Every structure is written in C-alpha cells, then in structure tokens.
C-alpha cells in the first residue's frame, strides 16, 4: 500500500519516471512484471530459417466464388 501511495504522489507531482519505476516494482512484487532483458525465462526471437519468409508465404491463396467470371476490360 505504501508503494501505491508513493506512485500516486509521484504521478501527481508529474514525476512520471519515478511513478513508472514504482509501478514496475509493484508489478514485480505481485509477480506480474514483464520479463527483463537477460532473465533466464525470457525468449529471444531469432531470424527465421532460409526460405520460410517471403512475399505471400503465410498468406492463403484466395479462390474466386464458384461461377465468378472475370469482367471484360472496358478500355479494349
């Protein structure tokens, strides 16, 4: 409760850096803090293997509805 009051006082005094640090400390105590860089449980994202990334590789191919006909080009 004391940290909550300190955080509210810091925010009211427009000291947002201190308020943020106190908010993070409260979250860490509650066990809801985000993982910090270097924590053993943190996950790092690496580069995808070759060939798995490219234009449209993850996009399913859309098929036109049954019976659909491509419209004629009005310029020709």
């Amino acid at each position: 409760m004391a940290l909550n009051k300190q955080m509210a006082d810091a925010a009211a005094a427009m000291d947002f850096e201190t308020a943020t640090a106190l908010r993070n400390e409260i979250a860490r105590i509650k066990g809801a803090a985000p993982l910090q860089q270097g924590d053993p449980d943190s996950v790092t994202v690496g580069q995808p293997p070759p060939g798995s990334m490219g234009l449209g590789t993850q996009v399913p191919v859309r098929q036109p509805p049954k019976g659909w006909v491509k419209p004629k080009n009005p310029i020709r």
Side-chain angles (χ1 to χ4, degrees):
M1 292 308 241
L3 288 177
N4 286 332
K5 182 172 179 348
Q6 289 176 2
M7 181 181 67
D9 292 342
M14 301 286 194
D15 186 5
F16 298 117
E17 291 179 5
T18 303
T20 301
L22 290 167
R23 181 201 62 201
N24 293 343
E25 180 66 16
I26 293 167
R28 187 189 65 75
I29 292 170
K30 289 181 178 179
L35 297 173
Q36 300 293 323
Q37 184 73 14
D39 283 349
D41 293 334
S42 64
V43 177
T44 56
V45 177
Q47 220 174 358
S52 69
M53 191 169 118
L55 293 175
T57 56
Q58 301 296 324
V59 179
V61 177
R62 291 185 143 186
Q63 298 295 329
K66 204 172 224 176
W68 182 81
V69 178
K70 185 177 178 179
K72 294 183 179 180
N73 189 342
I75 298 175
R76 291 186 184 173

